[in-house]
Amino acid sequence: MTHDEIFAKVQEVLVDALGVDDDEVTPTATLTGDLGAESIDFLDIVFRLEKAFDIKISQGELFPDNVLQNAEYVQDGKVTDKGLTELKARMPHADFSEFEQDPDVNKVGEIFTVEAVVKFVEAKLG
Amino acid sequence: MRWCWIDRILVLDKGARCVAIKNVSLAEEHLHDHFPGTPVVPASLMIEGMAQTAGILTGHARGFKEKVILAKIGKAQFDCEVYPGQSLIYDATLDRIDEAGASTTGIVRLIDHAAPTRPHAEQSEASDAPLWQTAPQIGVIELMFSHIDKNMRGLGFPEHNFVFTDQFMNLLKNSGFDPGS
């Protein structure tokens, strides 16, 4: 499956899960900021991706869920170097270049872009 | 006391499907306000009825150990109004369940006891099937449930399972199902 084909299917999943329009689901759109995803939506997205691509996604594989609760990884509202290393290891599909400039914990949602989801699926499909 | 919006469980197939019936009665007080002179079942209460049916299905799949909370209504579509004297069938199937939660798809069917003929009976292969199986579909409800102890750790929820109280367990027992099975 090509990158564009995966994108088209991911787009369909996000339109169904989040009730947004096709044209809002651009590669750079962030799931929480631009598309309004809330915590339960991430589970919904995971379930729909599994069905759409016939893959199995373990809990925390696409969206790590316990890194930011760890005091070692977050200090004074910033993700620590150790935390960044952990996040990068857990999310090789995401682009951290912008977030690294200001690792404010409130901005961590910016990592979760549509493109990150596409890359994740691409890696899963091998 | 929780409002129970289903009267009886008809089918409970562990981890797969739960079907419940709700008989709509003019004795339900809210129908006199919704709407005065023209009682119509509120769509929100049909969603609640499906949530209770699908919630039992989700809870039963894991032995009622999880606190199963309705977290998202992905879709709720109804094709007609429902009146007192009619019966609703909530037919829920479990699409996916894991540690964090579950997603379900539900079909709403309507039994109109005043209908002159049995709907679709002539097309049905099993014409002696129970009435609810041949009742026409009038809606679709897709729901997501959260296992809250897994998703909102540390918020201090009570130890006991406040979702699946005796009321639901008794409903299952009175419908002929063993909640522990």
Side-chain angles (χ1 to χ4, degrees):
Chain A
M1 202 180 275
T2 67
H3 186 85
D4 287 352
E5 285 168 341
I6 294 172
F7 176 79
K9 265 187 147 176
V10 166
Q11 193 178 40
E12 205 178 313
V13 161
L14 296 176
V15 165
D16 288 344
L18 304 175
V20 292
D21 292 330
D22 294 25
D23 56 3
E24 291 179 80
V25 187
T26 60
T28 54
T30 59
L31 299 189
T32 46
D34 297 325
L35 303 181
E38 294 179 18
S39 59
I40 192 68
D41 294 320
F42 287 94
L43 187 62
D44 195 6
I45 292 165
V46 164
F47 285 178
R48 286 174 190 270
L49 287 173
E50 287 187 330
K51 204 172 174 184
F53 293 97
D54 194 22
I55 52 178
K56 186 88 187 74
I57 303 169
S58 312
Q59 197 185 359
E61 197 180 349
L62 176 56
F63 309 111
D65 54 354
N66 51 8
V67 174
L68 300 179
Q69 277 82 48
N70 188 327
E72 206 182 345
Y73 297 149
V74 180
Q75 273 163 23
D76 302 325
K78 302 268 184 192
V79 178
T80 61
D81 287 346
K82 212 168 177 185
L84 264 173
T85 308
E86 176 70 13
L87 273 176
K88 282 182 185 174
R90 301 268 296 270
M91 296 182 66
H93 45 282
D95 178 2
F96 285 85
S97 54
E98 227 169 275
F99 180 72
E100 271 178 319
Q101 310 299 317
D102 178 20
D104 185 334
V105 75
N106 294 314
K107 292 185 180 171
V108 78
E110 291 174 10
I111 301 166
F112 300 117
T113 61
V114 174
E115 183 61 17
V117 177
V118 173
K119 280 191 174 152
F120 172 81
V121 173
E122 217 167 19
K124 284 294 272 189
L125 293 173
Chain B
M1 172 71 182
R2 169 201 280 270
W3 270 0
C4 206
W5 290 105
I6 47 180
D7 294 329
R8 191 178 176 89
I9 305 291
L10 304 176
V11 174
L12 183 59
D13 184 0
K14 192 164 189 163
R17 185 181 182 209
C18 183
V19 182
I21 186 168
K22 157 72 184 162
N23 292 314
V24 182
S25 165
L26 197 54
E28 292 168 39
E29 220 168 295
H30 62 276
L31 289 176
H32 295 268
D33 296 317
H34 190 280
F35 300 94
T38 314
V40 175
V41 176
S44 54
L45 291 183
M46 291 195 267
I47 295 173
E48 176 61 22
M50 182 63 81
Q52 293 183 358
T53 309
I56 287 174
L57 172 63
T58 302
H60 185 241
R62 295 196 162 218
F64 294 112
K65 291 191 177 68
E66 302 287 355
K67 299 181 183 95
V68 175
I69 295 293
L70 176 62
K72 180 175 176 177
I73 302 164
K75 179 180 183 179
Q77 184 187 313
F78 304 99
D79 303 331
C80 68
E81 291 179 335
V82 178
Y83 307 113
Q86 297 180 321
S87 300
L88 286 158
I89 297 295
Y90 299 118
D91 190 340
T93 51
L94 188 64
D95 298 326
R96 179 77 165 81
I97 185 165
D98 74 3
E99 289 297 307
S103 70
T104 63
T105 300
I107 303 294
V108 184
R109 299 182 189 283
L110 181 71
I111 300 176
D112 184 0
H113 302 282
T117 55
R118 195 170 168 160
H120 310 311
E122 63 281 6
Q123 290 99 334
S124 171
E125 283 179 21
S127 56
D128 56 346
L131 192 56
W132 66 265
Q133 285 184 2
T134 55
Q137 176 177 332
I138 61 144
V140 178
I141 303 173
E142 292 175 4
L143 302 173
M144 294 277 310
F145 292 90
S146 172
H147 294 148
I148 50 164
D149 283 337
K150 303 281 165 35
N151 292 312
M152 305 183 86
R153 273 180 287 244
L155 284 190
F157 294 111
E159 281 282 311
H160 72 279
N161 197 329
F162 54 85
V163 179
F164 297 109
T165 57
D166 284 350
Q167 197 175 1
F168 274 140
M169 295 304 114
N170 288 337
L171 175 69
L172 276 169
K173 281 182 210 155
N174 295 336
S175 301
F177 297 97
D178 174 9
S181 65

